[in-house]
Amino acid sequence: MERCFPFQTSVTVYKAYTRVESDANTIARALTAQTAETDAIRFLVGTQSLKFDNQITNEPKRLSSENRVLTCAAVWRMPPEWESGSHESPDDSSNNPQTLELLCHLDNTAHGSVACVLWEPLGDGKRVISLAENHVLLWDLQESSTKATISSTATLEGKGQLKFTAGKWSPHHNSTQLVTANDTAIRGWDLRSMSQIYCIENAHGQLVRDLDFNPNKQYYLASCGDDCKVKFWDVRHINEPVKCLEEHSHWVWSVRYNHSHDQLLLTGSSDSRVILSNMVSISSEPFGHLVDDDDLSDNEENQQEDKGKEPLQDSIIATYEEHEDSVYAVEWSAADPWLFASLSYDGRLVINRVPRALKYRILL
Amino acid sequence: MSSATTPPDSDPTGRRRVHSMLKLYYGLNEEGTAAEQAESLDPCDINGPHFDPEVYLNKLRKDCSLCELMDHESCMVKQIRSLDSDMQTLVYENYNKFISATDTIRKMKNDFKKMEDEMDCLSANMAAITEFSARISGTLQDQHAQITKLSGVHTLLRKLQFLFELPARLNKCLELQAYAQAVSAHRRARCVLQQYSHMPSFRGIQDDCHVIMEQLAQQLRQKFRDGGSSAKDLSECVELLLQLDEPAEELCDKFLSHAQSRLEADLQGLEAELKDSAFTDTGGGSVQKTSPGSNPISPSSSSVINPFLSPTAGTDILEFIDRGCNEFVSSLCLVIASYQELFINRPQEGELASKNIPEMANGKLHVFVDTLAARYFSLVERRIQEEKGVGDNSLLVRALDRFHRRLQAITKLLPGSAVPSHGTEIVVRAARERIKQYLSALQTFYHDSLTDVRQALAAPRLAVGGASASGGGVTSKDATPSLPELLTSLSNFILNQLKSVLASVHLFTAKDITFSNKPYFKGEFCSQGVREGLVVSFIKFICQSSRQYCESAGDRGGSTPPALLLLLSRLCLDYETSTISYILTLTDEQFLVQHHTPVTPVTALCAEAREAAQKLLNHYVKVQGLIISQMLRKSVETRDWVNTIEPRNVRAVMKRVVEDTTSIDVQVGLLYEEGVRKAHSSDSSKRTFSVYSSSRQQIRYAPSYTPSAPMDTNLLSNIHKLFSERIDIFSPVEFNKVSVLTGIIKISLKTFLECVRIRTFGRYGLQQIQVDCHYLQMYLWRFVSDENLVHFLLDEIVGSAAHRCLDPSPMEQSVIEVICERG
């Protein structure tokens, strides 16, 4: 059910359609990049289907991957209701599908179905967070990772049935912060004290579907949701979003910052579109400060090439409409910062590159 | 002309011939002779000069018979006789005339001789008279010279006497206060005294006079300073002082300062009044602030009767201006007039003319008027600024008119003054301010009426009395107001309010208002002020506030009732189609706007209104879609689909969805037209709805395949999707009912689909979904423009549910139909 799709960086793949092949009807749901892999471009796809000819009768809802030692990828499979997740680790191979090895289960039967599992973004990969119903569970993995134990938990209390829908472990602040989404609210957590540090009520008009941290600006956060909007937040000023995009025509299921060029933002929506936007004005790369010289620079264009380029505006770079059904996940490649994949309900994985012209503009 | 030989043919010709002969004799040659000669060359012509009797006779003898000859002869004889007698009378007459003429000449000769004698006598007499006269004048010469000399001495003596009497006379004048007499007397004597001042006696007189005049001047000055006297006295006084060589500048200053003190008093009176009103303003502050705004403009005016309303601030502005005009302006005019009479317009004579008094005096006057007017204006402006209520504009206009009109008097008196133009500026400012106030009043009115509409929408079933009281006429009937009624009443309210505001503003340009023909009020006020500043701004405001409803409500959980969105959308659309152009045409007609400056075109406003309407309608679709979506989502998310029982009924939530959709359909149908829908089959609700992907019998998608062969469902669905158009879920809708409902249903079903995809179903769960979808399909197709859309989405839902089913064994189609028809 799970496949890796390796692409060599040297191969001039500009655009690739790939089906997630399966002998059964394949309904793909989750997608992630192999983060520790630096040579090969590798994505892991998780499916949602119930498989009858397989002895595994559970359904993997979310997959999280992490390269542990050298070339080893680890995959967690989390059952939502009655079985805990399984941990498989395939060998590094380029072509043939490998069976993932189950390392350990996260035994969380007490806490209900799991919404998502997060690896510690930095460090040696010994800690995992899982969000189940209204609980935040922090797991410690044993050396060689055959056993996981809950080290601490936090519970979201409130009226009604609260249920986490998404979460993200902040790569900043020495990995001590977590942000979660439930219904229309976004909450920040301090993992040391396991307590809530901020809460953006009504961040979106409807359900919040996904979150991502700006990898270069520690207080910046992107969120997306059922109101078709993508919002950018400065968590120090949570009353108003920094910016708001409204380009999709249906729920936005996934939002991802590019790992190295944080002005590039990828969103996938159930209107079957993937949109790559260029958010220059709130990126860490300082394009804006040349604005003052802008008028003068026309004459000096030849002498000063740096200044000659007019700053890029916030804009949509491209809308990818290759998918025929709802796009549930988008992800940047861990190895090549100009490559990204998107996955739709019908199991189609589309790999695209950032347009060459834009790439050179950002680089030069 | 021998009478015997020439018998004339006829009497007239004979007489004429006689005349011509006579003329010939007297040398009177006529022009007619030439012709006569020409015709009388014939020797047979008895009257012609070349008459030849022989030829004539021969001819007669030859031509005529005897009898004719006899006749001719007798005739000839008769003619000869008559000619003879004519000749005799003529000769006799001439003779007589000659005789009488000779007598007359003889008589005249005698008379002239007598007259000559008398003339001689006359000339002799005249010579004698001349001689006598010369002699007399010679004798009288000496005496005449003496008399002349004597009369000269007499005059001189009289003058001297006058001089000697002068001091006494002056004193007497002083006593009698006949200053004018004294001054004129002194003036007459002054030069003489000056000239002969080297003589001691004259010097004495001069000194005396000086002393007296000094005294007199003192008295005059005193009188001037006192100022209690009438204007005429005053002017006399000034005139005299000027004649006494008093410095004119000093006099001007004195005069002006004196006038100033009086005018100051007027101004202070005004100021005190202003302070009074300001005091009462703050005293009744809260009441007063609301009352002028709400009185004319709020729809619920009748319910708010404010006792403090009529006496707003002690005196109203008209009274204030009246007072200002009557007291300050009129006395200022008086001062100006008398000043000009005294110092500027006096006929200049003598050395006074050279001193250039008018120019100096004029300068002083201008400064004086300007400073005072500036203070007056600041007071007036303060008062105008206090006039915040938009109630009775006519009062303000009348006040401004009066203010402006009275200033015209100053223009007439003082042509170069800047005061009237300042006054006009104040009026212009006031007008501008007024437009702004009206705009904000309109805006609050709009908000108020929207609130009323909201209340009416929110509590449609509340007591009728309460609705009519709070709504202020939104509901006039007993029945709760329907949407179209609300719409018409709202748009009528707005339109009427706008019209009344236009009417009030129109007062500024009325013909009988003096300032209405100023260039500002003819041009800029109409185009920039009223059209742009008021009408266009208001329309823009409506569009903008409508758009705000979309934005704010989207994030904060739909605080706006959807019906209001729908209503506003229709309102904006109506504006786009007709109202905007109507309002602007009305404005242009009322104000005869000539657009010198570029103005917002109607099309731009219409585009804006349309955009707002579109946004509102989109938002309406979104909100309504969201409400149904939430219902569906809750129903999917909260149920345990794995362990559910076999479906017996359509779930209640589906019925609810259909009900809500129907009610939305009714609601939208009240305001929007039906719209076009694609042709559908005659009985769409009966369409076989057995399709779900996991059944592996996708005959529908690919009829050519063998039905029993297991097909790759993904391939099939993708082939289908390739040929079907992409469905934009939150796409803009058109302004008709079908499009709106299509949008809502699209959103709802898509939500349903997405929710199904993340659930797991048991066997009966799937069957329940089948039943629900069939039910929806039975009822929803009629609302949408393209029923295939509903079919497609419902297919997807069932298909996805089958994917997520642990035991996908579908229900029989016939059973489904039975269940649905039963429910």
Side-chain angles (χ1 to χ4, degrees):
Chain A
M1 282 197 299
E2 297 83 20
R3 299 286 167 88
C4 300
F5 295 97
F7 293 94
Q8 294 302 320
T9 41
S10 55
V11 179
T12 57
V13 176
Y14 181 64
K15 198 180 271 185
Y17 295 111
T18 311
R19 295 200 63 78
V20 179
E21 304 271 348
S22 173
D23 42 357
N25 39 348
T26 310
I27 310 296
R29 207 64 205 197
L31 173 73
T32 188
Q34 192 179 345
T35 49
E37 177 64 81
T38 48
D39 295 332
I41 300 163
R42 185 162 300 160
F43 291 103
L44 301 173
V45 176
T47 67
Q48 187 199 21
S49 175
L50 307 166
K51 209 177 167 198
F52 303 102
D53 51 351
N54 201 315
Q55 69 271 32
I56 307 165
T57 51
N58 58 10
E59 45 189 310
K61 287 205 78 176
R62 295 275 188 205
L63 296 169
S64 183
S65 83
E66 157 82 297
N67 193 338
R68 296 195 63 225
V69 192
L70 292 172
T71 60
C72 181
V75 179
W76 290 94
R77 259 180 17 183
M78 296 308 303
E81 271 112 49
W82 60 88
E83 256 213 57
S84 47
S86 57
H87 184 183
E88 298 179 18
S89 91
D91 293 334
D92 175 33
S93 76
S94 52
N95 283 317
N96 296 324
Q98 300 285 316
T99 318
L100 303 176
E101 186 194 336
L102 180 92
L103 284 184
C104 69
H105 295 288
L106 297 181
D107 187 11
N108 62 344
T109 34
H111 303 293
S113 65
V114 173
C116 74
V117 179
L118 306 164
W119 279 98
E120 186 177 5
L122 303 168
D124 54 3
K126 277 189 181 169
R127 295 206 292 171
V128 172
I129 287 175
S130 68
L131 300 176
E133 296 286 346
N134 60 341
H135 302 290
V136 179
L137 306 174
L138 181 63
W139 302 79
D140 269 342
L141 294 180
Q142 304 295 317
E143 198 62 49
S144 79
S145 302
T146 50
K147 214 178 158 208
T149 50
I150 294 175
S151 65
S152 55
T153 60
T155 305
L156 180 63
E157 305 284 350
K159 269 192 291 181
Q161 271 195 317
L162 295 169
K163 213 167 144 186
F164 287 118
T165 56
K168 199 82 187 176
W169 199 330
S170 167
H172 308 289
H173 308 292
N174 206 14
S175 302
T176 54
Q177 282 189 13
L178 172 75
V179 63
T180 63
N182 66 298
D183 201 15
T184 61
I186 297 174
R187 288 162 205 277
W189 301 82
D190 189 335
L191 293 176
R192 292 166 299 189
S193 60
M194 288 308 260
S195 58
Q196 186 176 314
I197 44 180
Y198 57 83
C199 175
I200 309 171
E201 297 282 357
N202 287 323
H204 282 266
Q206 302 171 47
L207 213 66
V208 181
R209 290 280 173 190
D210 198 12
L211 300 157
D212 198 17
F213 275 99
N214 187 323
N216 300 326
K217 291 174 91 173
Q218 57 183 346
Y219 296 110
Y220 276 71
L221 176 70
S223 67
C224 61
D226 284 2
D227 57 358
C228 312
K229 287 173 185 163
V230 178
K231 291 187 179 180
F232 299 88
W233 304 91
D234 182 340
V235 297
R236 295 164 297 183
H237 306 101
I238 58 172
N239 293 327
E240 283 294 316
V242 179
K243 208 163 178 69
C244 182
L245 293 181
E246 197 171 0
E247 306 293 348
H248 284 291
S249 65
H250 203 247
W251 306 350
V252 187
W253 283 80
S254 179
V255 59
R256 284 290 177 272
Y257 276 111
N258 188 305
H259 302 305
S260 40
H261 305 284
D262 58 55
Q263 64 268 49
L264 297 178
L265 187 91
L266 209 52
T267 53
S269 153
S270 42
D271 63 358
S272 317
R273 292 190 182 92
V274 174
I275 291 181
L276 177 62
S277 349
N278 189 11
M279 304 307 297
V280 182
S281 64
I282 52 173
S283 85
S284 64
E285 288 185 31
F287 246 117
H289 72 82
L290 293 177
V291 171
D292 293 339
D293 308 328
D294 200 19
D295 297 339
L296 305 169
S297 63
D298 286 345
N299 304 328
E300 305 160 0
E301 198 164 31
N302 295 328
Q303 294 111 353
Q304 289 171 295
E305 286 184 351
D306 289 352
K307 281 191 163 186
K309 279 174 288 186
E310 66 181 69
L312 295 165
Q313 302 293 315
D314 287 355
S315 60
I316 298 177
I317 300 162
T319 304
Y320 301 96
E321 307 204 357
E322 284 98 351
H323 290 288
E324 301 289 353
D325 209 324
S326 305
V327 179
Y328 290 125
V330 290
E331 190 67 74
W332 291 94
S333 165
D336 182 353
W338 308 107
L339 197 105
F340 58 89
S342 53
L343 186 68
S344 60
Y345 176 75
D346 53 9
R348 179 178 292 178
L349 178 77
V350 177
I351 296 181
N352 275 303
R353 277 185 191 281
V354 175
R356 203 175 294 266
L358 180 79
K359 176 175 165 180
Y360 291 141
R361 272 192 109 162
I362 292 173
L363 285 177
L364 296 178
Chain B
M1 324 320 82
S2 64
S3 54
T5 53
T6 56
D9 278 342
S10 60
D11 214 7
T13 47
R15 183 158 293 172
R16 185 183 298 159
R17 203 159 51 91
V18 172
H19 272 266
S20 65
M21 295 316 270
L22 281 170
K23 275 178 186 156
L24 207 62
Y25 175 76
Y26 287 111
L28 294 166
N29 208 351
E30 277 191 353
E31 63 272 22
T33 51
E36 233 166 90
Q37 273 169 352
E39 81 188 30
S40 56
L41 279 173
D42 186 10
C44 295
D45 184 4
I46 204 161
N47 293 327
H50 303 285
F51 182 66
D52 189 346
E54 279 309 307
V55 178
Y56 185 70
L57 269 181
N58 284 340
K59 188 176 171 227
L60 275 181
R61 249 175 292 177
K62 245 188 265 172
D63 291 353
C64 304
S65 63
L66 179 70
C67 191
E68 281 171 341
L69 277 176
M70 288 298 286
D71 284 350
H72 202 88
E73 199 237 336
S74 65
C75 172
M76 192 90 83
V77 168
K78 232 192 264 178
Q79 281 181 353
I80 288 167
R81 253 185 229 141
S82 80
L83 276 174
D84 266 346
S85 70
D86 275 356
M87 179 107 85
Q88 276 170 11
T89 30
L90 210 60
V91 168
Y92 180 73
E93 275 172 11
N94 281 348
Y95 181 76
N96 273 352
K97 279 179 186 159
F98 268 119
I99 298 296
S100 66
T102 327
D103 286 353
T104 311
I105 287 167
R106 197 178 296 142
K107 210 171 165 187
M108 273 169 70
K109 245 183 202 161
N110 290 339
D111 286 351
F112 271 116
K113 198 162 238 164
K114 220 196 282 173
M115 211 147 75
E116 212 166 272
D117 291 346
E118 278 172 13
M119 285 307 286
D120 282 345
C121 178
L122 187 67
S123 64
N125 282 350
M126 284 307 290
I129 288 167
T130 315
E131 197 185 330
F132 273 120
S133 153
R135 221 185 294 158
I136 287 166
S137 61
T139 49
L140 284 181
Q141 188 81 45
D142 298 343
Q143 282 178 355
H144 182 252
Q146 267 183 342
I147 285 168
T148 313
K149 203 172 160 189
L150 279 175
S151 80
V153 171
H154 177 71
T155 323
L156 191 65
L157 279 174
R158 267 186 40 198
K159 275 186 190 163
L160 277 175
Q161 188 187 6
F162 173 76
L163 278 183
F164 287 124
E165 282 177 0
L166 188 60
R169 185 191 287 232
L170 285 178
N171 268 330
K172 200 171 181 191
C173 283
L174 203 54
E175 268 171 41
L176 294 174
Q177 294 197 329
Y179 301 119
Q181 260 182 323
V183 171
S184 70
H186 179 248
R187 253 158 54 86
R188 270 193 285 164
R190 195 160 51 176
C191 315
V192 184
L193 288 172
Q194 193 69 39
Q195 199 178 341
Y196 295 103
S197 55
H198 55 274
M199 286 184 211
S201 55
F202 283 105
R203 161 71 55 79
I205 292 169
Q206 195 184 14
D207 288 350
D208 284 354
C209 285
H210 263 307
V211 172
I212 295 165
M213 287 320 285
E214 206 64 44
Q215 215 174 331
L216 188 135
Q218 209 64 41
Q219 278 192 16
L220 279 175
R221 249 176 258 147
Q222 186 62 42
K223 194 172 161 191
F224 182 68
R225 211 173 293 130
D226 284 350
S229 44
S230 70
K232 201 180 162 205
D233 280 353
L234 209 63
S235 75
E236 197 183 81
C237 198
V238 168
E239 197 166 343
L240 293 178
L241 279 170
L242 277 177
Q243 283 178 4
L244 288 176
D245 281 347
E246 201 72 13
E249 205 169 336
E250 212 170 285
L251 279 179
C252 292
D253 284 346
K254 270 186 192 157
F255 184 85
L256 288 181
S257 71
H258 178 67
Q260 189 161 15
S261 65
R262 268 185 299 171
L263 289 171
E264 291 274 354
D266 287 345
L267 282 177
Q268 265 154 18
L270 284 178
E271 198 165 4
E273 195 168 307
L274 198 61
K275 271 179 190 147
D276 268 4
S277 69
F279 183 68
T280 39
D281 237 2
T282 51
S286 58
V287 184
Q288 213 212 322
K289 269 213 175 112
T290 52
S291 55
S294 66
N295 176 31
I297 219 151
S298 88
S300 49
S301 62
S302 55
S303 59
V304 187
I305 295 170
N306 201 320
F308 297 100
L309 183 62
S310 36
T312 40
T315 53
D316 62 19
I317 186 161
L318 190 59
E319 268 177 58
F320 179 83
I321 296 281
D322 249 353
R323 192 173 156 191
C325 289
N326 291 340
E327 288 178 0
F328 175 77
V329 178
S330 57
S331 51
L332 184 67
C333 285
L334 265 180
V335 168
I336 293 172
S338 56
Y339 182 89
Q340 279 178 329
E341 200 135 301
L342 289 180
F343 296 106
I344 298 169
N345 295 339
R346 283 173 56 241
Q348 298 299 319
E349 73 238 335
E351 74 269 54
L352 285 177
S354 63
K355 286 184 185 165
N356 232 351
I357 290 175
E359 232 167 72
M360 180 275 302
N362 219 353
K364 276 189 190 302
L365 182 64
H366 273 288
V367 173
F368 169 77
V369 172
D370 283 353
T371 47
L372 278 174
R375 286 192 50 191
Y376 173 59
F377 287 160
S378 76
L379 287 177
V380 169
E381 226 164 341
R382 266 169 60 193
R383 182 68 186 90
I384 290 174
Q385 273 164 12
E386 270 171 34
E387 203 68 9
K388 290 228 165 52
V390 278
D392 192 6
N393 194 40
S394 65
L395 205 66
L396 176 73
V397 172
R398 259 161 59 207
L400 285 175
D401 178 40
R402 199 156 301 178
F403 170 71
H404 191 262
R405 201 188 293 273
R406 292 303 287 262
L407 287 180
Q408 298 311 305
I410 297 184
T411 323
K412 271 179 210 140
L413 286 170
L414 211 59
S417 172
V419 170
S421 65
H422 280 311
T424 313
E425 270 169 36
I426 287 178
V427 174
V428 166
R429 267 204 293 277
R432 275 204 193 112
E433 198 55 39
R434 202 68 181 169
I435 285 176
K436 271 185 211 149
Q437 285 167 3
Y438 270 120
L439 181 60
S440 69
L442 274 177
Q443 289 174 352
T444 46
F445 170 76
Y446 178 70
H447 273 309
D448 288 353
S449 27
L450 278 194
T451 317
D452 287 346
V453 170
R454 264 175 114 136
Q455 278 170 359
L457 284 174
R461 320 229 180 280
L462 271 184
V464 180
S468 64
S470 63
V474 171
T475 54
S476 50
K477 287 173 283 178
D478 287 343
T480 49
S482 68
L483 273 181
E485 279 168 18
L486 277 174
L487 176 71
T488 45
S489 69
L490 175 65
S491 70
N492 284 345
F493 270 143
I494 295 172
L495 205 59
N496 287 339
Q497 196 62 39
L498 195 61
K499 275 182 185 164
S500 74
V501 164
L502 278 181
S504 322
V505 173
H506 193 247
L507 290 174
F508 277 109
T509 59
K511 284 226 161 42
D512 55 338
I513 303 295
T514 45
F515 53 76
S516 67
N517 54 14
K518 293 275 172 206
Y520 171 77
F521 282 97
K522 280 196 157 169
E524 207 195 332
F525 177 77
C526 294
S527 67
Q528 288 306 310
V530 176
R531 193 183 190 277
E532 295 294 299
L534 194 65
V535 179
V536 172
S537 299
F538 181 58
I539 293 170
K540 279 188 174 162
F541 167 79
I542 289 180
C543 296
Q544 212 165 352
S545 72
S546 305
R547 280 204 297 271
Q548 273 167 5
Y549 274 109
C550 298
E551 282 152 19
S552 61
D555 287 342
R556 305 292 169 227
S559 56
T560 322
L564 182 65
L565 291 174
L566 192 67
L567 191 117
L568 283 177
S569 149
R570 184 71 220 191
L571 184 75
C572 286
L573 194 66
D574 285 348
Y575 266 69
E576 191 254 338
T577 48
S578 58
T579 317
I580 287 180
S581 62
Y582 169 70
I583 291 173
L584 285 185
T585 318
L586 187 79
T587 316
D588 287 355
E589 272 170 9
Q590 268 196 14
F591 290 87
L592 298 170
V593 179
Q594 291 139 7
H595 303 304
H596 303 296
T597 47
V599 292
T600 320
V602 180
T603 49
L605 282 178
C606 286
E608 200 166 327
R610 195 183 176 83
E611 194 195 325
Q614 180 77 58
K615 257 190 153 168
L616 282 164
L617 197 61
N618 286 350
H619 193 66
Y620 174 74
V621 169
K622 233 174 174 174
V623 169
Q624 291 286 28
L626 190 63
I627 291 170
I628 295 179
S629 290
Q630 292 291 9
M631 226 150 50
L632 286 167
R633 170 191 287 187
K634 284 271 143 53
S635 81
V636 174
E637 280 180 358
T638 50
R639 198 177 172 117
D640 180 6
W641 290 98
V642 178
N643 303 316
T644 183
I645 53 157
E646 192 174 359
R648 300 251 170 258
N649 273 315
V650 179
R651 283 188 298 147
V653 69
M654 292 302 157
K655 291 180 181 167
R656 181 82 196 283
V657 166
V658 171
E659 271 168 30
D660 280 10
T661 315
T662 313
S663 71
I664 290 170
D665 183 62
V666 170
Q667 193 178 48
V668 177
L670 289 172
L671 292 180
Y672 279 100
E673 294 76 28
E674 178 72 27
V676 269
R677 63 174 83 225
K678 285 186 188 159
H680 44 71
S681 54
S682 58
D683 193 2
S684 299
S685 61
K686 292 287 185 200
R687 176 176 161 270
T688 315
F689 191 71
S690 61
V691 180
Y692 49 96
S693 316
S694 60
S695 72
R696 309 191 179 209
Q697 290 171 350
Q698 303 271 338
I699 311 162
R700 182 175 63 104
Y701 288 136
S704 60
Y705 291 114
T706 47
S708 55
M711 293 301 302
D712 184 338
T713 50
N714 282 315
L715 182 64
L716 282 171
S717 76
N718 279 333
I719 288 170
H720 172 79
K721 283 173 191 167
L722 270 180
F723 292 104
S724 67
E725 281 172 33
R726 184 190 289 272
I727 302 168
D728 266 337
I729 304 304
F730 290 114
S731 55
V733 292
E734 288 160 31
F735 294 107
N736 59 54
K737 192 179 85 177
V738 168
S739 180
V740 168
L741 278 157
T742 307
I744 293 169
I745 290 171
K746 263 197 306 190
I747 292 171
S748 313
L749 291 184
K750 178 78 175 174
T751 309
F752 194 13
L753 173 65
E754 294 292 344
C755 291
V756 163
R757 280 183 180 178
I758 48 177
R759 298 292 296 177
T760 307
F761 295 87
R763 175 179 174 179
Y764 296 129
L766 171 64
Q767 291 182 353
Q768 180 69 63
I769 293 289
Q770 268 184 296
V771 169
D772 289 348
C773 285
H774 186 78
Y775 182 80
L776 287 179
Q777 195 259 322
M778 274 168 64
Y779 289 100
L780 291 185
W781 64 270
R782 70 190 78 210
F783 299 120
V784 300
S785 61
D786 183 7
E787 58 181 299
N788 287 328
L789 191 93
V790 175
H791 298 155
F792 172 71
L793 281 168
L794 290 172
D795 284 356
E796 279 287 315
I797 291 169
V798 178
S800 298
H803 273 301
R804 301 283 310 145
C805 184
L806 296 166
D807 176 19
S809 51
M811 200 178 228
E812 279 294 313
Q813 181 64 28
S814 55
V815 182
I816 295 174
E817 277 171 21
V818 168
I819 293 175
C820 287
E821 269 155 31
R822 199 179 53 203

